[in-house]
Amino acid sequence: MTAELISGTEISKAILEEIKQEVNEMKDKTGKVPGLVTILVGENPASISYVTLKVRTALNLGFNEIQDNQPEDISQEDLLALIDKYNNDPEINGILVQLPLPKHIDDKKVLNAIDPDKDVDAFHPVNVGRLMIGGDEVRFLPCTPAGIQELIVRSGTETKGAEVVVVGRSNIVGKPIAMMMAQKGVGANSTVTIVHTGTQDLATHCKRADILVVAAGVPNLVKPEWIKPGSTVIDVGVNRIGKNEKTGKAILRGDVDFAKAKEIAGKITPVPGGVGPMTICMLMRNTLRSAQRSM
Ligand code: NAP
């Protein structure tokens, strides 16, 4: 059997179209569009390319997008003042500070200075707490976990009562997706296990997963024989395993042995083209929801 491919590329395109439509409706009704500011400190090439992609996506959707570039040597005080300015700007619904920040800046202090109601990355402790409580408390879901849940739901995978095993317990992927899948409600209501480097028998846990979410950052960590036949496998891992000699581009692999796993799983995400494209898409949706709430 060959698994059905869950294409993040296709699903994210569909969601971006939905967002565009909602933005147009908002503009027609209120004359306003969502406002997003992306703050980039310094000239880290990877950060520049991430920010460029976010800015391009926001502009394509018709958002009011401000790209605020600051020099590498900006003081923490000035950066905090800048965030305060955007916190108080009614035209701005989402504030995104691109990480990493230079060493002389305490990134925790900066992220915690963002108004939780404009924290579209959902890294602020208030939003982490709201996620834990669930239901109406939730303002924003963190972007990568939200993208993972969307892939699970839109692939038609039943989540209610499903055994979900999450490999990894990071604050940006493992812990939040585990919490989200355990909540009562649509697209969740699962029985969740989190495994990590302290887990004694990774294989046994993975083998009983109806939905296996792998976010470890270790290429080929999950062996094909650990996969339950017919299960849904979401591979979050992005590992650079070499360079394509012709194009010079990095060769990317996930945490799952995709070639063999796709013969066992029922549905599976590829790397690249799985979870990756969903993250920006969810950032845009968070900004749209923030704008809708502010009206
Ligand atoms: P992270 O902070 O390094 O966390 C990795 C987690 O995996 C840790 O909890 C670690 O356990 C666990 N782990 C590592 N090796 C393991 C092993 N051999 N057995 C069991 N558990 C193991 O990483 P992250 O930020 O969550 O990211 C994980 C992967 O997802 C990376 O490849 C990253 O590039 C990718 N990612 C992709 C996207 C995207 O596509 N948009 C977004 C975010 C992350 P301990 O806690 O015990 O150390």
Side-chain angles (χ1 to χ4, degrees):
M1 187 188 96
T2 298
E4 183 189 313
L5 208 65
I6 307 175
S7 168
T9 308
E10 292 306 317
I11 293 175
S12 64
K13 265 189 209 157
I15 296 174
L16 288 174
E17 264 318 304
E18 293 165 15
I19 295 173
K20 204 172 195 173
Q21 216 165 323
E22 285 191 58
V23 172
N24 287 337
E25 284 165 18
M26 175 185 278
K27 198 173 177 181
D28 288 345
K29 273 191 203 153
T30 67
K32 291 189 172 180
V33 295
L36 175 68
V37 61
T38 42
I39 301 175
L40 172 67
V41 179
E43 291 175 2
N44 176 327
S47 296
I48 292 174
S49 78
Y50 291 139
V51 164
T52 306
L53 195 57
K54 288 168 189 171
V55 169
R56 201 184 305 147
T57 309
L59 291 174
N60 276 340
L61 294 172
F63 286 13
N64 168 25
E65 159 66 46
I66 298 174
Q67 186 178 351
D68 192 332
N69 291 355
Q70 295 294 328
E72 180 88 20
D73 62 356
I74 186 175
S75 69
Q76 180 163 296
E77 203 183 8
D78 286 350
L79 187 56
L80 291 173
L82 190 70
I83 288 172
D84 192 49
K85 182 184 93 172
Y86 290 121
N87 279 343
N88 290 300
D89 183 341
E91 299 300 314
I92 293 298
N93 308 108
I95 301 173
L96 183 133
V97 178
Q98 185 64 45
L99 298 177
L101 290 170
K103 284 204 174 69
H104 67 279
I105 294 177
D106 179 349
D107 51 7
K108 228 185 229 173
K109 232 179 201 161
V110 170
L111 295 181
N112 291 357
I114 297 173
D115 177 348
D117 288 341
K118 296 188 179 188
D119 169 40
V120 283
D121 257 339
F123 291 155
H124 194 290
V126 167
N127 283 321
V128 176
R130 286 170 172 165
L131 168 67
M132 180 94 177
I133 296 167
D136 291 346
E137 281 294 325
V138 179
R139 301 287 190 284
F140 304 112
L141 292 172
C143 301
T144 300
I148 295 169
Q149 191 176 35
E150 203 68 49
L151 290 176
I152 293 170
V153 170
R154 292 195 187 221
S155 70
T157 301
E158 177 60 80
T159 60
K160 184 169 180 259
E163 289 282 341
V164 173
V165 175
V166 178
V167 184
R169 55 178 162 188
S170 72
N171 287 327
I172 62 163
V173 189
K175 276 192 241 172
I177 187 61
M179 188 48 60
M180 286 158 62
M181 297 308 295
Q183 297 287 6
K184 209 166 190 171
V186 180
N189 230 349
S190 310
T191 304
V192 181
T193 306
I194 307 180
V195 297
H196 42 71
T197 57
T199 301
Q200 287 195 359
D201 187 351
L202 218 54
T204 301
H205 289 288
C206 292
K207 276 179 190 171
R208 57 180 174 71
D210 301 309
I211 302 172
L212 181 62
V213 178
V214 192
V218 180
N220 290 343
L221 173 67
V222 171
K223 312 293 172 237
E225 60 273 20
W226 297 5
I227 290 168
K228 182 174 174 178
S231 62
T232 292
V233 177
I234 308 290
D235 190 353
V236 191
V238 180
N239 306 292
R240 286 172 172 75
I241 59 154
K243 246 186 193 177
N244 182 313
E245 283 182 8
K246 277 186 193 153
T247 62
K249 281 190 178 169
I251 301 171
L252 302 180
R253 289 283 182 280
D255 292 348
V256 178
D257 182 345
F258 179 80
K260 291 185 185 143
K262 76 174 179 5
E263 302 304 323
I264 303 163
K267 301 170 193 221
I268 189 166
T269 56
V271 177
V275 176
M278 297 297 291
T279 301
I280 287 191
C281 185
M282 294 297 108
L283 175 73
M284 299 301 146
R285 196 168 71 181
N286 278 348
T287 308
L288 170 67
R289 296 284 174 258
S290 176
Q292 289 167 331
R293 261 196 304 271
S294 79
M295 286 166 198

